[in-house]
Amino acid sequence: MTALTTRLTELVGIEHPVVQTGMGWVAGPKLVAATSNAGGLGILASATMTYPELEAAIAKTKSATDRPFGVNIRADASDAAQRVDLLIREDVRVASFALAPRPELIATLKDAGLIVIPSIGAAKHAVKVAGWGADAVIVQGGEGGGHTGPVATTLLLPSVLDAVDIPVIAAGGFFDGRGLAAALAYGASGVAMGTRFLLTQESSVPDAVKRRYLSSGLDGTVVSTRVDGMPHRVLRTSLVERLEQSSRATGFVHAARNAARFKKMTGMSWPTMIRDGLAMRHGKDLSWAQVMMAANTPMLLKAGLVDGNTDAGVLASGQVVGLLDDLPTCADLIEAIVSDARRSIDRLADLVNGPTRSVR
């Protein structure tokens, strides 16, 4: 399979312009190593890991691949600087962020030779992080799963491309080679996918939960603010329907319980959790009610994606779930995406140059 060379592949040193996003509870060493071994960029999700768990996950990933991979860090976490030091010591290739990291954090990473790729949701945010030294950005449109915005990828992507000169990776609504070809035609340097990689053989999500995803249609997701106070695209489940119909007071009670569970699971102290909440409130411009509701996220996602309890858990999902019906290996998935993208590009070239080649 001939590689597609873009600014992203040259920047990171990967073979194909395909990124597996850092999904909490999903993007562990097995999935990340499989993605990187297939020529893409796998990204570990550290927000749902304690520091010792992240140390172990990085070591396990390095033992399974010698290809570049990344780690996603919460820039507002109280131990973000400690985690950055770990990435530097372990010679991790890419540091990705769900929130814009502080300029000094970017400088520390870049001085150590790491590539910094924040995720952003608006052109103005891309301009800001580019000015701070970010090497590339992931831009996710409203079709994407998890925390998402209101603007579709087809409009958000060109607005960001027009605003910055650094490589832009498109996310939200991508699952096959046609999407990769379309993103490249827009001017993006690659695509990032979450739901598509969640539904692979190497994904750690329980098989019964994967079947629940595969049974969903294009109308099978909803953007809810009742999960954690922020717009969150998830599968339509009985729990989500109950959350949508519940009062805010009920939501706060559940959030308080889940905060206590998360504290016990991670071993975090209440002062540390409060500091993280203060940082989250400032970094995401949240109300105190939204900060309190945010305690729901890690535990509700864990119940669904790890424990397999779809009655008590939440299943983050992009709209593309309605078009998926298989569980390929990461290697087969990336090979199919790149091959199909090349065929799409060839078809477009024929429109300009004439049918000099057969459509395969």
Side-chain angles (χ1 to χ4, degrees):
M1 175 177 55
T2 305
L4 290 170
T5 302
T6 71
R7 293 174 69 189
L8 171 65
T9 61
E10 293 178 335
L11 173 68
V12 180
I14 55 178
E15 190 175 355
H16 306 301
V18 178
V19 178
Q20 162 255 304
T21 60
M23 300 165 281
W25 304 116
V26 177
K30 184 177 180 181
L31 179 60
V32 171
T35 301
S36 292
N37 283 333
L41 175 65
I43 298 179
L44 276 172
S46 81
T48 50
M49 297 179 185
T50 63
Y51 182 84
E53 287 171 342
L54 177 58
E55 280 186 305
I58 290 175
K60 190 171 182 178
T61 304
K62 290 176 69 174
S63 71
T65 184
D66 58 1
R67 306 283 187 91
F69 68 92
V71 174
N72 182 265
I73 299 175
R74 262 187 54 197
D76 59 349
S78 56
D79 64 348
Q82 185 183 12
R83 292 177 184 241
V84 163
D85 288 342
L86 174 63
L87 267 59
I88 293 171
R89 289 199 310 274
E90 294 296 330
D91 198 26
V92 172
R93 183 64 171 153
V94 172
S96 79
F97 294 88
L99 288 176
R102 299 183 304 278
E104 56 270 25
L105 206 58
I106 294 178
T108 298
L109 288 161
K110 288 177 65 68
D111 287 346
L114 275 77
I115 295 165
V116 179
I117 306 180
S119 294
I120 54 92
K124 63 181 180 181
H125 300 147
V127 171
K128 179 172 69 174
V129 296
W132 289 349
D135 297 289
V137 290
I138 296 174
V139 52
Q140 177 178 303
E143 301 94 324
H147 292 125
T148 195
V151 181
T153 303
T154 51
L155 300 175
L156 183 59
L157 177 59
S159 74
V160 174
L161 287 164
D162 289 344
V164 296
D165 292 328
I166 60 176
V168 174
I169 304 158
F174 296 99
F175 66 99
D176 66 359
R178 293 171 298 178
L180 174 56
L184 296 178
Y186 268 106
S189 295
V191 296
M193 304 182 298
T195 305
R196 177 64 279 191
F197 276 106
L198 184 152
L199 293 171
T200 58
Q201 292 185 26
E202 290 89 353
S203 163
S204 61
V205 173
D207 288 343
V209 176
K210 290 179 183 178
R211 290 194 293 272
R212 174 65 182 82
Y213 273 88
L214 292 176
S215 69
S216 299
L218 280 172
D219 61 350
T221 67
V222 61
V223 176
S224 174
T225 59
R226 291 302 180 91
V227 175
D228 60 6
M230 294 172 282
H232 202 127
R233 186 177 291 282
V234 296
L235 286 188
R236 294 181 184 272
T237 62
S238 57
L239 171 63
V240 171
E241 295 296 337
R242 292 197 301 273
L243 289 173
E244 286 291 290
Q245 296 168 11
S246 66
S247 68
R248 293 199 176 276
T250 300
F252 291 156
V253 170
H254 286 303
R257 290 174 180 167
N258 280 327
R261 291 173 184 150
F262 189 67
K263 174 183 177 294
K264 182 177 180 181
M265 181 186 69
T266 61
M268 295 172 67
S269 65
W270 283 115
T272 297
M273 292 187 69
I274 291 170
R275 284 197 300 271
D276 281 358
L278 287 168
M280 182 185 296
R281 183 172 186 265
H282 174 72
K284 295 183 179 178
D285 194 24
L286 304 180
S287 67
W288 280 114
Q290 287 173 316
V291 170
M292 185 173 179
M293 286 291 289
N296 273 325
T297 306
M299 299 314 295
L300 289 178
L301 289 173
K302 179 179 182 293
L305 297 173
V306 179
D307 303 333
N309 188 346
T310 56
D311 292 328
V314 166
L315 305 173
S317 176
Q319 287 182 302
V320 297
V321 71
L323 297 173
L324 304 180
D325 59 7
D326 62 347
L327 296 171
T329 64
C330 289
D332 288 343
L333 173 63
I334 292 177
E335 180 177 3
I337 287 174
V338 175
S339 296
D340 287 349
R342 291 189 61 84
R343 282 192 286 271
S344 295
I345 293 168
D346 285 347
R347 283 194 294 269
L348 293 175
D350 286 344
L351 296 177
V352 177
N353 303 320
T356 57
R357 60 183 68 79
S358 61
V359 176
R360 298 181 292 278

